[in-house]
Each structure stands twice: as C-alpha cells, then as structure tokens.
C-alpha cells in the first residue's frame, strides 16, 4: 500500500480513538432540564422516571441515548428519518451480560440486555474503563433491586 494511504489511515484511527475517548457518561443530575426533557420524550420515559446515567455514542441527546433510570434500562437511536427505541423494565429483564472488549469494527463496550421473553438489545457505553465499569455495575445493582 502507498505510504500516504497508511499515514491517512493511521491519522484517522488516532482521531477516531481520540473522539471516542472524549465521550462522557453523564450522571442524571448533570443533564440540563431541557436535555432531560428531550431524553424522556425520545425514549418514551414517564414523567416521574429519574435518569441515573446517560451516554450518547452518536450526536449527543438528539442522536442516540444509552441509559438506565429508576424503572428501566434502554437505548434509542435517531437517524434523519427514523427513531428506534428499545428498553426493558427491571421486572422484564432476565439477564445482563457485559462485554468490555467486543470484537470487530464497532468496539464500544456494551451491556447485552436479555428480556424474559428472550429478546435482546444492547446498551453502548464508552469512555474510561473505570467509568464504563461503574455504569455497568450500577446498572446491574438497580436491576437486581428492581426485580
């Protein structure tokens, strides 16, 4: 391969890693009232539901959301035309499986949520390893307490 192509590829990888490491896991009280309202609207959360932690891997609150609340664990993804929303209440969850090092091109750690009806979805959380671990551990604790 030409050297310039390899250099561009390396620079692109460094930039991608740098950008993904800048993403932040927000505590619910760090979100502004307008961000909280928007997340609740996009994720179809109830008015009394408290967001404990939130992470976006695409465009902030408007693009994607991965979260757990006082009632559920969920994920939403918004494109120009569609909004995909998936969540499960703590009572409907059978198992949580954490993958800190997923293989392939999309390497953001995720929590695989398996519902009692065997359907599954992923909640993606990137950032510093300790913060990601804390998100997963706290999420699991809320699930166990809410079963």
């Amino acid at each position: 391969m030409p050297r310039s192509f390899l250099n561009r590829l390396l620079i692109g990888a460094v930039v991608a890693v740098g950008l993904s490491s800048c993403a932040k896991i927000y505590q619910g009280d760090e979100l502004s009232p307008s961000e909280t309202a928007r997340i609740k609207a996009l994720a179809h959360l109830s008015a009394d539901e408290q967001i404990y932690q939130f992470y976006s891997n695409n465009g902030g609150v408007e693009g994607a959301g991965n979260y757990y609340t006082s009632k559920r664990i969920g994920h939403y993804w918004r494109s120009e035309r569609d909004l995909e929303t998936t969540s499960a209440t703590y009572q409907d969850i059978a198992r949580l499986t954490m993958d800190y090092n997923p293989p392939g091109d999309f390497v953001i750690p995720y929590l695989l949520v398996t519902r009692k009806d065997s359907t599954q979805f992923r909640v993606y959380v990137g950032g510093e390893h300790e913060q990601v671990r804390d998100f997963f551990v706290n999420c699991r604790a809320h699930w166990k307490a809410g079963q």
Side-chain angles (χ1 to χ4, degrees):
M1 281 189 232
R3 186 174 196 95
S4 64
F5 173 76
L6 291 175
N7 287 342
R8 283 191 306 239
L9 186 63
L10 179 61
I11 289 169
V14 168
V15 168
V17 168
L19 288 176
S20 69
S21 67
C22 292
K24 179 179 176 180
I25 299 169
Y26 290 90
Q27 302 302 314
D29 61 3
E30 293 179 304
L31 299 164
S32 72
S34 63
E35 288 171 324
T36 300
R38 190 65 181 140
I39 292 166
K40 286 184 175 189
L42 289 168
H44 307 293
L45 304 180
S46 61
D48 66 335
E49 207 161 344
Q50 181 182 356
I51 300 168
Y52 291 132
Q53 288 188 299
F54 176 86
Y55 172 79
S56 178
N57 56 319
N58 180 40
V61 169
E62 290 297 325
N66 300 274
Y67 58 88
Y68 67 97
T69 74
S70 53
K71 296 182 180 182
R72 74 186 79 229
I73 300 170
H75 163 83
Y76 65 85
W77 182 271
R78 186 172 176 209
S79 67
E80 289 181 17
R81 289 181 234 141
D82 297 317
L83 172 63
E84 174 191 320
T85 302
T86 308
S87 70
T89 63
Y90 293 125
Q91 294 82 8
D92 291 336
I93 297 171
R95 183 175 59 251
L96 298 177
T97 308
M98 295 166 238
D99 191 341
Y100 291 103
N101 299 301
D105 295 332
F106 198 67
V107 295
I108 297 175
Y110 65 86
L111 179 66
L112 180 65
V113 178
T114 304
R115 294 184 188 99
K116 290 179 179 173
D117 68 3
S118 298
T119 58
Q120 298 177 321
F121 65 93
R122 293 179 181 181
V123 173
Y124 292 94
V125 183
E128 298 293 326
H129 180 76
E130 287 181 17
Q131 294 171 332
V132 171
R133 184 198 66 226
D134 289 348
F135 182 101
F136 289 159
V137 167
N138 292 332
C139 189
R140 178 180 291 278
H142 283 282
W143 166 56
K144 288 286 188 186
Q147 284 185 310

